[in-house]
């Protein structure tokens, strides 16, 4: 039996990282469903992909780049630039179809420029793409210093369309429950995903990508000696990744219905982590696009589990993803050493072979111990931080939500307010209540002081149109609530129009809330004045 298992592992060694990622995803989601009944709702599962569809699109392109032995740090800047440029062009009246096409061409152009520097001028991918990241970030603020909201019929249509699952729809409707659904962005993300699988595994271009990567760059020379189009392939890979980054930026802009130069900060690291957790080796030449979807799923699932837990800071998402990335890199390194070690063992004999095997066992045990220590730190750190006599408030400031002030809303509406917006919690324990009036007058109060702002009547009408056109007075907008983390915000939003009044509440970052709710919240948050508090 042991011999069969060893033989199976030996023959399928290249699939171990992917299988480990898939197994981890299944076990983590199963554990979440056991401990948190809310996760048993299929919509929570689909929401993980809905909220991370742009991440999957970008990760597919990044997988091809990493397979060549390269890296692309410009993806976050490209996503931010695309969101700002899309919002600005749509605000200027350009047709949405032409805007999307122009953004994709822009992404491909910037990708090909970086690819040209890397392939022809032999610039290190890290340096070339780091420059690309700063260039794209800088261009964002040439377009606008502030966030630009998007109010376009095509974008609103894309964001509001629901695609229901065959079979599940009938099952849920028969039981009187809302059927689960996905969005267009998820469909597009999986089209890109399957296209990436086809390109990497079943085309000459894909085989050339694998031939270029790996072996610390030596494979590139071998590929050139074989007559493969190395330079052209590398340029095309970065061009394709630019296309994926721009497409991800478009759907990110659709998701938040706005564009800003500070969006997607650090997203390139999430993309790289997803690819690595999906089983692709950073050294290149080994890995599968198929595994990337599991890496993206684990990243989204980690955030979901922390949100459902409610007692952990949202920053634990970064800690967990960092630990998992380190673990997967360690596993890949051990597999690489094992593959090279078999060749070295065959060339040794006697005491030299015994010493080599002893050293190999020591390294393996040390790696396993290091992983165990890292996991132990992740588990014990919150308990250590809560011990009596240990002051952690300077490191992580946990907020206890203040009592909501919804009892004040009727009085504000009686005074003529048509929008009342309350935000409570966050790292600075804020407690803010705003009222927006038809004449453009906005008032705000954070318990300690008042604030005012004046906008035009046209701005108010545009804001109300953005809220109502996205289905505020429909069943698509509903209350959602889970125990908020120590740094999360709770929101109430009341809208009054044509004799109708509706209030919806939710907690930020929750996969249980409808995506359109956060789009509406972003519109209101971008309109109200800001208190002089860093949050």
């Amino acid at each position: 039996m042991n011999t069969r298992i060893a033989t199976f592992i030996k023959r399928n060694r290249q699939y171990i990282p992917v299988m480990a990622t898939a197994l981890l995803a299944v076990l983590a989601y199963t554990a979440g469903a056991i401990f948190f009944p809310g996760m048993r709702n299929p919509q929570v599962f689909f929401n993980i992909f809905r909220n991370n569809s742009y991440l999957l699109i970008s990760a597919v392109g990044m997988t091809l780049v990493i397979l060549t032995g390269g890296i692309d740090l410009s993806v976050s800047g490209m996503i931010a630039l695309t969101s700002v440029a899309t919002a600005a062009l749509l605000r200027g009246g350009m047709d949405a179809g032409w805007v999307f096409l122009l953004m994709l061409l822009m992404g491909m152009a910037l990708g090909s420029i970086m690819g040209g520097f890397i392939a022809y001028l032999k610039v290190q991918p890290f340096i070339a793409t780091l420059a690309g990241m700063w260039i794209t970030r800088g261009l964002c603020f040439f377009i606008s210093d502030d966030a630009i909201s998007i109010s376009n019929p095509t974008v609103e249509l894309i964001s509001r369309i629901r695609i229901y699952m065959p079979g599940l729809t009938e099952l849920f409707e028969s039981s009187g429950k809302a059927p689960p659904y996905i969005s267009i962005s998820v469909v597009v993300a999986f089209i890109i995903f399957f296209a990436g699988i086809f390109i990497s595994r079943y085309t000459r271009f894909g085989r050339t990508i694998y031939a270029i990567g790996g072996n610390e760059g030596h494979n590139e020379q071998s590929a050139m000696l074989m007559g493969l189009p190395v330079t052209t392939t590398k340029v095309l890979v970065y061009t394709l990744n630019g296309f994926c980054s721009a497409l991800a930026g478009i759907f990110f802009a659709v998701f938040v219905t706005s564009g800003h130069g500070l969006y997607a900060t650090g997203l390139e690291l999430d993309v790289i982590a997803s690819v690595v957790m999906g089983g692709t080796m950073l050294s290149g030449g080994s890995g599968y696009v198929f595994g990337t979807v599991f890496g993206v799923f684990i990243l989204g699932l980690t955030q979901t589990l922390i949100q459902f837990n409610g007692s952990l800071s949202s920053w634990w998402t970064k800690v967990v993803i960092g630990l998992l990335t380190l673990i997967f890199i360690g596993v890949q390194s051990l597999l690489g050493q094992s593959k090279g070690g078999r060749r070295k063992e065959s060339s040794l004999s006697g005491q030299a072979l015994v010493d080599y095997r002893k050293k190999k066992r020591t390294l393996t045990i040390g790696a396993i111990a290091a992983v165990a220590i890292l996991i132990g730190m992740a588990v014990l750190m919150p308990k250590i931080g809560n011990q009596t006599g240990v002051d952690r408030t300077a490191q992580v400031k946990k907020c206890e939500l203040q009592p909501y002030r919804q009892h004040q809303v009727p009085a504000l509406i009686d005074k003529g307010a048509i929008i009342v917006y309350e935000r409570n919690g966050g790292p600075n324990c804020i407690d803010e209540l705003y009222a927006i009036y038809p004449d453009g007058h906005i008032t705000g109060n954070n318990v300690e002081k008042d604030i005012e702002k004046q906008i035009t009547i046209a701005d108010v009408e545009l804001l109300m149109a953005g809220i109502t056109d996205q289905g505020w007075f429909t069943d698509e907008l509903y209350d959602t609530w889970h125990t908020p983390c120590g740094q999360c915000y709770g929101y109430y939003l009341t809208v009054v129009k044509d004799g109708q009044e509706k209030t919806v509440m939710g907690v930020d970052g929750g996969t249980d809330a409808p995506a359109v709710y956060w789009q509406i919240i972003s519109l209101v948050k971008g309109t109200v004045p800001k208190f002089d508090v860093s949050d």
Side-chain angles (χ1 to χ4, degrees):
M1 184 65 179
N2 292 335
T3 304
R4 291 181 179 179
I5 295 175
T7 302
F8 176 81
I9 293 175
K10 182 177 179 180
R11 290 179 178 177
N12 300 278
R13 187 178 298 273
Q14 68 273 26
Y15 300 115
I16 290 178
V18 178
M19 291 188 293
T21 305
L23 180 62
L24 177 61
V26 172
L27 292 177
Y29 195 86
T30 302
I34 292 173
F35 289 105
F36 307 113
M39 286 191 65
R40 299 170 193 172
N41 186 343
Q43 188 60 61
V44 174
F45 174 83
F46 292 125
N47 281 349
I48 292 176
F49 290 104
R50 287 178 59 230
N51 295 338
N52 295 281
S53 57
Y54 57 88
L55 183 63
L56 177 57
I57 294 172
S58 183
V60 170
M62 183 67 79
T63 304
L64 300 180
V65 169
I66 292 179
L67 284 173
T68 65
I71 201 77
D72 191 346
L73 301 179
S74 69
V75 294
S76 62
M78 188 71 243
I79 290 173
L81 177 59
T82 302
S83 73
V84 174
T86 297
L89 291 173
L90 291 175
R91 184 178 62 180
M94 182 178 286
D95 180 74
W98 288 110
V99 171
F100 297 159
L101 178 60
L102 184 61
M103 293 301 99
L104 295 175
L105 292 175
M106 178 183 69
M108 295 172 67
L110 290 174
S112 65
I113 291 172
M114 290 185 294
F117 273 86
I118 294 167
Y120 292 102
L121 300 181
K122 306 303 178 184
V123 178
Q124 287 294 320
F126 182 91
I127 299 300
T129 58
L130 180 64
M133 180 182 71
W134 288 116
I135 290 171
T136 51
R137 286 287 180 188
L139 289 174
C140 291
F141 294 97
F142 273 102
I143 299 174
S144 175
D145 290 333
D146 300 319
I148 305 175
S149 62
I150 297 176
S151 179
N152 179 272
T154 302
V155 172
E156 292 172 359
L157 178 64
I158 294 173
S159 65
R160 293 178 60 183
I161 288 180
R162 294 182 174 185
I163 302 174
Y164 292 94
M165 302 291 100
L168 287 178
T169 301
E170 293 78 7
L171 178 64
F172 274 73
E173 287 181 345
S174 63
S175 61
K177 299 180 181 179
Y181 64 92
I182 58 175
S183 59
I184 290 180
S185 61
V186 176
V187 175
V188 174
F190 274 91
I191 290 174
I192 297 296
F193 170 65
F194 288 117
I197 293 176
F198 177 80
I199 290 172
S200 63
R201 304 301 297 178
Y202 302 105
T203 66
R204 185 172 183 266
F205 175 66
R207 290 189 289 272
T208 304
I209 289 175
Y210 278 96
I212 293 173
N215 199 19
E216 299 180 354
H218 299 301
N219 282 9
E220 183 174 333
Q221 299 298 323
S222 301
M224 293 180 68
L225 293 174
M226 292 168 61
L228 297 177
V230 172
T231 53
T232 302
T233 300
K234 293 181 76 171
V235 172
L236 288 176
V237 165
Y238 283 92
T239 302
L240 183 58
N241 191 47
F243 171 86
C244 291
S245 298
L247 184 61
I250 291 172
F251 281 107
F252 186 86
V254 170
F255 182 71
V256 299
T257 61
S258 61
H260 195 273
L262 294 179
Y263 283 168
T265 302
L267 185 66
E268 71 279 357
L269 303 181
D270 290 338
V271 174
I272 295 171
S274 299
V275 174
V276 172
M277 289 190 296
T280 301
M281 295 188 68
L282 276 174
S283 57
S286 178
Y288 305 93
V289 175
F290 175 74
T292 299
V293 72
F294 291 105
V296 172
F297 181 78
I298 286 177
L299 193 147
L301 178 60
T302 301
Q303 182 180 10
T304 302
L305 289 172
I306 289 175
Q307 290 166 356
F308 272 94
N309 177 275
S311 62
L312 295 175
S313 165
S314 59
W315 287 106
W316 275 100
T317 302
K318 302 296 183 182
V319 174
V320 173
I321 295 302
L323 289 172
L324 289 175
T325 304
L326 192 59
I327 289 171
F328 277 95
I329 290 175
V331 171
Q332 293 171 2
S333 178
L334 286 175
L335 291 174
Q337 290 179 16
S338 176
K339 184 177 180 180
R342 291 194 303 272
R343 292 194 296 266
K344 187 172 182 178
E345 282 186 14
S346 63
S347 64
L348 298 175
S349 60
Q351 186 61 38
L353 179 60
V354 174
D355 293 340
Y356 176 77
R357 288 177 174 174
K358 182 178 180 181
K359 180 181 178 181
K360 183 178 177 181
R361 283 196 300 270
T362 302
L363 288 174
T364 302
I365 294 173
I368 294 174
V371 170
I373 291 172
L374 288 173
I375 295 175
M377 289 175 60
V379 173
L380 296 176
M381 191 63 72
K383 298 180 181 179
I384 295 173
N386 290 329
Q387 287 179 352
T388 303
V390 180
D391 185 6
R392 299 282 179 179
T393 56
Q395 298 178 22
V396 178
K397 185 176 181 180
K398 182 177 179 179
C399 175
E400 296 293 339
L401 291 179
Q402 301 300 311
Y404 284 93
R405 293 189 278 166
Q406 286 299 292
H407 62 280
Q408 299 180 21
V409 174
L412 294 172
I413 293 176
D414 289 342
K415 292 180 180 179
I418 56 176
I419 298 175
V420 180
Y421 165 62
E422 182 174 5
R423 187 168 66 140
N424 193 328
N428 290 297
C429 284
I430 66 170
D431 181 5
E432 299 174 346
L433 182 65
Y434 298 92
I436 302 177
Y437 296 87
D439 60 357
H441 185 59
I442 304 176
T443 62
N445 175 268
N446 69 349
V447 180
E448 296 180 354
K449 60 182 179 180
D450 297 321
I451 193 172
E452 294 186 1
K453 180 180 178 181
Q454 183 67 45
I455 59 177
T456 65
I457 296 177
D459 289 335
V460 176
E461 293 174 348
L462 183 63
L463 176 60
M464 287 294 291
I467 294 174
T468 55
D469 290 349
Q470 295 190 67
W472 183 259
F473 295 102
T474 67
D475 293 337
E476 293 185 14
L477 273 300
Y478 48 85
D479 287 346
T480 55
W481 188 260
H482 61 264
T483 304
C485 70
Q487 295 192 340
C488 294
Y489 293 101
Y491 296 88
Y492 272 95
L493 184 63
T494 300
V495 180
V496 179
K497 184 178 182 181
D498 298 332
Q500 300 182 82
E501 178 181 334
K502 183 177 181 179
T503 300
V504 179
M505 64 180 295
V507 178
D508 67 337
T511 55
D512 48 355
V516 68
Y517 179 67
W518 304 118
Q519 297 168 11
I520 293 173
I521 287 291
S522 68
L523 291 177
V524 178
K525 185 178 178 181
T527 303
V528 299
K530 307 294 188 298
F531 287 95
D532 188 16
V533 176
S534 177
D535 55 19

